[in-house]
Amino acid sequence: MDIIRTKIIDAANRRGEARKAAYAGVTAARYDRHVSRIVISFDTGLDLSFSPHHAQGLEHARPADLDVIEISPSGLGIHFPKIDADLYIPALVDGFLGSRRWLASQNGKTGGAASTPEKRKAAQENGKSGGRPRKTPAATVKTGEPA
């Protein structure tokens, strides 16, 4: 049993080391109240800053919730203990501050509200032909009676 566990742990450690080698590690993270942005410094010298309201899990955070940020031992994640939120930095960078699914939901909110000349023209054309068809109530059939 111990040999199997050792092999599993060794394999997990190798995967972790490969992941750490593939991504820049976080060396510092802070919330800058003057510009209302989270600033992450990487071991490559790159600094990344973003609005917390654009990051999954932080969209409703108050400035007081963001003043304590912990860096994971691997350097690939940051944790906000006051709101128990975590950001995995490779996913944050890959998905631009959220998972692809979450980003699609955010884009959908603004996309439907966008007003373009094409949308206006289509609405005008639709209005000329009477607009949207009215919703009709579904035919109701009472159970036990012949239809």
Side-chain angles (χ1 to χ4, degrees):
M1 237 359 178
D2 289 334
I3 294 173
I4 294 172
R5 272 193 206 147
T6 302
K7 287 182 180 182
I8 292 171
I9 292 170
D10 288 345
N13 285 335
R14 283 192 300 277
R15 286 191 307 272
E17 289 301 319
R19 174 106 0 131
K20 282 174 59 174
Y23 293 98
V26 176
T27 57
R30 64 185 171 82
Y31 179 67
D32 186 336
R33 286 180 179 259
H34 294 104
V35 292
S36 302
R37 296 178 78 75
I38 294 172
V39 180
I40 300 174
S41 299
F42 293 91
D43 57 11
T44 59
L46 173 73
D47 286 343
L48 170 72
S49 72
F50 59 91
S51 170
H53 301 292
H54 293 134
Q56 184 177 4
L58 303 180
E59 59 270 80
H60 303 294
R62 299 176 321 228
D65 298 331
L66 305 171
D67 60 358
V68 177
I69 304 174
E70 300 170 349
I71 301 170
S72 70
S74 69
L76 297 178
I78 56 175
H79 176 69
F80 299 85
K82 289 186 176 181
I83 55 175
D84 194 25
D86 296 285
L87 293 178
Y88 178 59
I89 301 306
L92 176 117
V93 173
D94 288 346
F96 303 116
L97 307 181
S99 69
R100 292 182 195 273
R101 183 177 184 178
W102 182 79
L103 286 170
S105 74
Q106 298 303 303
N107 290 336
K109 286 179 186 175
T110 56
S115 179
T116 63
E118 293 82 11
K119 277 180 88 172
R120 276 192 292 281
K121 184 177 179 185
Q124 288 169 351
E125 291 299 317
N126 193 28
K128 288 178 187 176
S129 63
R132 288 187 179 173
R134 293 185 183 260
K135 292 184 180 180
T136 57
T140 57
V141 177
K142 295 182 181 178
T143 57
E145 295 182 13

